[in-house]
Amino acid sequence: MTDPAPAVPEPQHLVVMGVSGSGKSTVGALLAERLGWTFTDADDLHPEANVTKMRAGTPLDDDDRAPWLVAVRDAMSVRAAAGRCGVVACSALRRTYRDVLAGAEGRVRFVHLDVTGEVVASRVEAREDHFMPSTLVASQLDALELLAVNEDGLVVPVLGDADEVAERIVEHLGLRP
């Protein structure tokens, strides 16, 4: 009699979340590199109408975000169906948005990068070639809902450089490549 095949671990996704300028893309890319997972920046999945609206300095509303969140969730599900894990940088500011993302196949864990409004405003102001103007930071801070105790995730203060933040996340979540 042969032994049964070992259980394949469930694919999982880390959604690195927070307001614009919190370091989601930088920390997310570092996490993906450390873990050998695929990295996706959810900004790349925005429909052109959303990008145009943000460039004009108009905050997105829930109707604007709905198809984008579904696209992000579906991209995570495609990855999980292929048996791959991934890291996604996505604002995921509200619980209802995170609920959509949590519907992806595989385990979805949220990592909220917690940083002050002053820091994010200065970071966004210093950016070049990004569609998100600093004038929209306040609207993101207003929309941000902290992770609830029943959400799979953690809040990470952005202290130190991005490498240090990424390493603390890996350690706290017990993830190793």
Side-chain angles (χ1 to χ4, degrees):
M1 178 169 197
T2 61
D3 290 331
V8 176
E10 178 183 32
Q12 63 179 301
H13 314 278
L14 296 181
V15 177
V16 182
M17 59 164 285
V19 297
S20 185
S22 61
K24 297 180 301 290
S25 297
T26 302
V27 171
L30 288 169
L31 283 169
E33 182 180 318
R34 269 189 171 79
L35 298 170
W37 295 3
T38 305
F39 175 72
T40 302
D41 192 325
D43 281 349
D44 296 338
L45 301 176
H46 268 296
E48 189 56 40
N50 286 6
V51 174
T52 300
K53 194 171 183 178
M54 287 184 281
R55 274 200 177 110
T58 305
L60 299 180
D61 60 27
D62 288 350
D63 290 336
D64 297 321
R65 287 187 183 96
W68 169 64
L69 291 165
V70 168
V72 175
R73 179 202 64 205
D74 291 351
M76 293 188 318
S77 289
V78 166
R79 182 175 294 132
R84 296 189 329 262
C85 298
V87 178
V88 177
C90 180
S91 53
L93 298 174
R94 292 191 173 146
R95 172 68 186 257
T96 57
Y97 306 163
R98 296 189 296 270
D99 288 345
V100 172
L101 299 175
E105 289 185 40
R107 183 178 182 188
V108 179
R109 301 167 89 179
F110 296 95
V111 178
H112 174 199
L113 298 182
D114 188 23
V115 61
T116 67
E118 295 80 24
V119 170
V120 296
S122 67
R123 288 179 178 179
V124 172
E125 188 66 38
R127 284 182 179 169
E128 295 179 14
D129 299 325
H130 194 278
F131 58 79
M132 180 72 168
S134 61
T135 56
L136 293 182
V137 169
S139 70
Q140 287 208 330
L141 290 167
D142 289 342
L144 178 63
E145 295 173 359
L146 300 179
L147 288 173
V149 294
N150 64 343
E151 288 183 275
D152 190 355
L154 72 145
V155 176
V156 179
V158 178
L159 304 170
D161 66 23
D163 279 314
E164 293 168 327
V165 173
E167 187 55 33
R168 282 198 322 272
I169 293 166
V170 168
E171 287 176 16
H172 185 81
L173 295 177
L175 298 171
R176 284 291 154 206

